[in-house]
């Protein structure tokens, strides 16, 4: 047997906090070394924080990371554990996103990321250069390039995030060169339902390359990107451990690397491919570590804890509904809390609570984040902390109903959130009269609606400016996509919590929270039709279309990139009970309103990213503001 103990350390870094981030890494490194971890992985870009974007163009920021890496090496010099951690490296006019291997006080090598994503929320090729197969150089005397490392416990390879998402990534080349254990250092953002994809992909890479693969992810939120942490170890495709997510922590597992070697000898296809690869002149460079690794004499064999190699463990199947909802709520909560804590610009949270679904879910997400952050406090102290940090305001006009007023009041009482009613009727009248004077006549019905939204937003900004509270924007992605929102009104805020959460998902989460907590305020909100209450008897689905159809149109157009006729065809299979005329009318309405509303949503505040489809022109869906739908029609 050749037993090794692999550690996965999820760290919550802040971009630019080089010294604090390094201190977090050192603390986790010492904790893992204390329990005889043989080799430990820490996340991608953990020293400088991710995504650092154009900040890496500041030479001083990059130099500070190099100095911090030396500090990490020095402060772990007495430890026998081998560490890998992410850092930006400058070399000959290039910047590289690297994994650094550190052992006994020395940086043994730097391995640059080869696959630089420029899709969805990623823009790495803008600032970083990619590593090249067979690359070999030095940076300040440290080996740099396509490297593998020989230790007394076995041969190690390291790589960075996207490298593992490509089936033709560097893992294959390095495993053919002898690497048995591969560490992947990641800062992989959370997306709805991403965990199943990660598990399957990582298991496949481990199996294809007949290696032990350890994956560690960053945790925490930076600039709207949310990282769920955790990690996995797969041995030749077999799951060995899954680390906790949504918390800064570490996990470890023992594996027998002789098993990986034995399975390679049994895999005739892998051996044949390995011999073919040996003919290539492009090979990684082997770095031999000068010092011994940690003692492995007391490591236990990784036997099943339930005592059987043939029977499944006691853990039951995952509940897909619970996993989906808790993951998404954890992501939104972490996004809200880390934005608040890391910016250090605010004293708490404030929002306009309308008695509707979106503002209710925003309130619950923020409340939940506070409960998790102060979970160690007694119930009464935690409730007092909630009341201190979270404030809600109900600002009725002549169109507000008793039902929404009661819904808002009840949920605030249940959560312990201070609730104030501040009517806007007089301000509404005053602004309407001023606008009539400017136009020299009567206002449109739409203008009358927007005045109410803008009065509320102005008051929230005034409140935020005076108190230092973080003004949370509450709108959802579906209505934002359709322009069913007001510039200067409900589109306002410092952070858009639900801006990338579809309306159907908002409702689904509220139903889940109702089942989980039984809050009367949720039930009362859901018992009335959704509508903005800016006009008499206003209902969102009447003015737009059924939310199930709206979200389907949005996904098919913006995510699947289908043309309007193709969307109509897809809707027929999804909603066969609706008429063809209805489907055609809905699709035409959606595409027209979506394209005409791009100018609105590009002005929205910073939003939390929780899906592969996001309405954020700077990060995800880059659409021209000035465009038409003429291409959708026949000449």
């Amino acid at each position: 047997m050749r037993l090794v103990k692999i550690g996965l350390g999820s760290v919550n870094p802040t971009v630019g906090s080089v010294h604090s981030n390094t201190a977090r890494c050192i603390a986790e490194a010492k904790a893992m070394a204390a329990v005889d971890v043989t080799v430990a992985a820490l996340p991608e870009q953990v020293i400088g924080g991710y995504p650092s974007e154009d900040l890496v163009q500041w030479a001083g920021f990059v130099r500070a990371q190099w100095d911090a890496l030396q500090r990490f090496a020095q402060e772990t010099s007495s430890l026998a554990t081998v560490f890998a951690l992410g850092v930006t490296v400058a070399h000959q006019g290039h910047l590289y996103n690297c994994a650094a291997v550190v052992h006994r006080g020395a940086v043994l090598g730097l391995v640059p990321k080869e696959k630089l994503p420029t899709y969805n929320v990623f823009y790495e090729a803008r600032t970083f250069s990619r590593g090249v197969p067979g690359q070999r150089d030095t940076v300040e005397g440290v080996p740099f390039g396509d490297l593998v490392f020989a230790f007394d416990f076995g041969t190690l390879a390291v790589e960075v995030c996207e490298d593992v998402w490509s089936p033709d990534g560097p893992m294959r080349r390095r495993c053919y060169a002898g690497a048995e254990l591969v560490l992947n250092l990641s800062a992989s953002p959370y997306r709805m339902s991403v965990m199943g994809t990660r598990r399957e992909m990582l298991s496949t890479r481990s199996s294809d390359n007949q290696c032990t693969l350890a994956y560690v992810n960053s945790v925490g939120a930076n600039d709207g990107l949310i990282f769920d942490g955790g990690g996995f170890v797969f041995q030749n495709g077999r799951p060995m451990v899954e680390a906790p997510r949504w918390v800064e922590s570490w996990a470890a597992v023992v594996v027998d690397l002789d098993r990986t070697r034995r399975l390679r000898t049994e895999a005739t296809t892998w051996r044949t491919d390995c011999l073919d690869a040996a003919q290539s002149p492009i090979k990684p460079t082997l770095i031999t570590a000068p010092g011994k690794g940690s003692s492995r004499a007391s490591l236990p064999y990784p036997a099943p804890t339930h005592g059987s190699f043939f029977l499944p463990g006691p853990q039951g199947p995952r509940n897909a509904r619970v996993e989906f909802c808790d993951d998404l709520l954890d992501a939104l909560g972490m996004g809200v809390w880390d934005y608040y804590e890391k910016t250090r610009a605010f004293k708490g949270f404030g929002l306009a609570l309308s008695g509707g679904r979106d503002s209710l879910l925003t309130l619950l997400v923020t409340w939940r984040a506070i409960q998790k952050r102060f979970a160690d406090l007694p119930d009464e102290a935690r409730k007092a902390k909630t009341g201190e940090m979270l404030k809600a305001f109900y600002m009725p006009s002549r169109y507000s109903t008793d039902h929404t007023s009661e819904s808002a009041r009840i949920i605030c009482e249940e959560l312990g959130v201070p609730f104030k009613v501040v009517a806007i009727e007089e301000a509404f009248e005053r602004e309407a009269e001023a606008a009539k004077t400017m136009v020299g006549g009567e206002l449109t019905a739409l203008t009358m609606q927007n005045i109410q939204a803008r009065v509320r937003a102005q008051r929230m900004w005034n409140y935020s400016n005076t108190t230092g509270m973080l003004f949370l924007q509450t709108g959802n992605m579906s209505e934002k996509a359709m322009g069913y929102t007001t510039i200067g009104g409900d589109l306002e805020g410092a952070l858009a919590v639900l801006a990338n959460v579809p309306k159907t998902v908002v409702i689904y989460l509220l139903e889940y929270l109702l089942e989980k907590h039984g809050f009367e305020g949720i039930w009362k909100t859901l018992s009335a039709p959704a509508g903005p209450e800016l006009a008499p008897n206003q209902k969102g689905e009447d003015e737009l279309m059924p939310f199930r159809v709206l979200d389907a149109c949005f996904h098919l157009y913006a995510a699947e990139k289908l043309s309007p006729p193709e969307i109509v065809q897809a809707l027929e299979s999804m909603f066969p009970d609706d008429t063809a005329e209805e489907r055609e009318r809905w699709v035409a309405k959606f595409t027209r309103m979506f394209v005409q509303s791009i100018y609105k949503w590009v002005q929205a505040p910073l939003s939390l990213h929780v899906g592969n489809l996001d309405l954020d022109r700077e990060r995800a869906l880059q659409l021209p503001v000035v465009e038409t739908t003429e291409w959708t029609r026949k000449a």
Side-chain angles (χ1 to χ4, degrees), residues 282-305:
I282 300 174
K283 292 184 177 64
T285 298
L286 179 67
I287 304 295
T288 301
K292 288 186 176 181
S294 59
S295 172
R296 295 174 284 122
S298 62
L299 296 181
Y301 186 79
T305 56

Side-chain angles (χ1 to χ4, degrees), residues 466-547:
T466 302
T467 63
M469 303 295 263
L470 172 57
F471 173 16
L472 298 175
Q473 196 265 351
T474 63
N476 69 79
M477 181 163 66
S478 307
E479 293 171 1
K480 180 180 174 183
M482 296 284 279
Y484 196 62
T485 184
T486 303
I487 295 176
D490 57 304
L491 200 60
E492 290 292 303
L495 179 68
V497 181
L498 307 180
N500 294 306
V501 181
K503 187 72 169 187
T504 52
V505 178
V506 169
I507 297 169
Y508 191 80
L509 290 175
L510 287 174
E511 291 171 345
Y512 171 74
L513 289 170
L514 176 59
E515 293 172 12
K516 186 172 183 177
H517 297 291
F519 291 136
E520 182 186 353
I522 301 178
W523 173 84
K524 194 168 183 64
T525 298
L526 292 174
S527 67
E533 293 192 339
L534 299 172
N537 302 315
Q538 202 173 21
K539 297 180 178 64
E541 290 189 304
D542 289 348
E543 296 191 332
L544 296 172
M545 63 187 73
F547 293 134

Side-chain angles (χ1 to χ4, degrees), residues 308-622:
S308 174
F309 288 99
F310 301 101
L311 298 175
Q315 182 179 1
R318 292 179 172 86
N319 183 311
R321 175 178 171 82
V322 171
E323 186 173 40
F324 173 86
C325 291
D326 279 342
D327 262 9
L328 183 48
L329 290 166
D330 282 341
L332 294 169
M334 178 168 281
V336 168
W337 184 265
D338 274 20
Y339 182 85
Y340 159 78
E341 189 169 62
K342 291 180 178 181
T343 56
R344 302 183 303 279
F346 305 100
K347 299 178 181 177
F349 308 93
L351 76 159
L353 190 62
S354 68
R357 289 156 174 75
D358 300 330
S359 61
L360 170 60
L361 182 57
T362 304
L363 179 76
L364 289 165
V365 163
T366 310
W367 168 80
R368 196 171 186 266
I370 294 172
Q371 306 314 298
K372 283 182 172 288
R373 173 61 180 80
F374 298 102
D376 57 329
L377 294 179
D379 290 348
E380 287 304 312
R382 189 165 62 250
K383 194 165 187 176
K385 177 62 72 173
T386 302
E388 172 191 328
M389 295 195 68
L390 179 56
K391 315 289 183 182
F393 300 91
Y394 182 77
M395 292 179 274
S397 73
R398 67 189 70 172
Y399 303 114
S400 303
T401 65
D402 292 340
H403 185 94
T404 55
S405 174
E406 275 297 285
S407 299
R409 181 188 62 79
I410 290 170
I411 192 61
C412 284
E413 286 182 358
E414 291 176 307
L415 301 180
V417 174
F419 175 69
K420 286 186 179 181
V421 178
V422 186
I424 65 166
E425 187 62 30
E426 290 184 8
F428 173 31
E429 288 278 9
R430 186 167 57 250
E431 289 302 315
E433 288 302 318
K436 288 177 185 178
T437 301
M438 293 176 71
V439 302
E442 292 300 313
L443 305 178
T444 65
L446 182 59
T447 303
M448 294 294 284
Q449 293 183 37
N450 288 340
I451 287 173
Q452 298 166 68
R454 291 185 177 117
V455 168
R456 290 172 176 140
Q458 183 184 44
R459 288 189 175 180
M460 286 304 303
W461 273 129
N462 292 338
Y463 168 77
S464 176
N465 289 161
T466 302
T467 63
M469 303 295 263
L470 172 57
F471 173 16
L472 298 175
Q473 196 265 351
T474 63
N476 69 79
M477 181 163 66
S478 307
E479 293 171 1
K480 180 180 174 183
M482 296 284 279
Y484 196 62
T485 184
T486 303
I487 295 176
D490 57 304
L491 200 60
E492 290 292 303
L495 179 68
V497 181
L498 307 180
N500 294 306
V501 181
K503 187 72 169 187
T504 52
V505 178
V506 169
I507 297 169
Y508 191 80
L509 290 175
L510 287 174
E511 291 171 345
Y512 171 74
L513 289 170
L514 176 59
E515 293 172 12
K516 186 172 183 177
H517 297 291
F519 291 136
E520 182 186 353
I522 301 178
W523 173 84
K524 194 168 183 64
T525 298
L526 292 174
S527 67
E533 293 192 339
L534 299 172
N537 302 315
Q538 202 173 21
K539 297 180 178 64
E541 290 189 304
D542 289 348
E543 296 191 332
L544 296 172
M545 63 187 73
F547 293 134
R548 59 183 171 83
V549 177
L550 196 165
D551 283 352
C553 289
F554 180 39
H555 176 83
L556 293 168
Y557 185 81
E560 299 300 329
K561 311 298 190 290
L562 298 187
S563 67
E566 291 173 321
I567 299 173
V568 172
Q569 183 179 346
L571 292 184
E572 183 178 0
S573 61
M574 293 183 68
F575 310 117
D577 293 336
D578 298 319
T579 67
E581 292 77 15
E582 285 177 316
R583 290 190 291 267
E584 289 177 2
R585 185 174 70 252
W586 287 331
V587 172
K589 184 176 185 178
F590 173 83
T591 53
R592 173 179 56 81
M593 293 183 69
F594 179 82
V595 170
Q596 291 178 350
S597 300
I598 296 173
Y599 83 96
K600 282 190 174 185
W601 54 259
V602 298
Q603 300 182 55
L606 181 75
S607 60
L608 302 181
H609 294 264
V610 293
N612 287 319
L613 174 61
D614 284 357
L615 282 183
D616 188 331
R617 189 167 183 258
E618 297 303 316
R619 281 202 187 276
L621 193 62
Q622 296 190 3

Side-chain angles (χ1 to χ4, degrees), residues 37-49:
V37 165
T38 312
V39 57
L42 295 162
E44 173 185 16
Q45 290 291 297
V46 69
I47 291 180

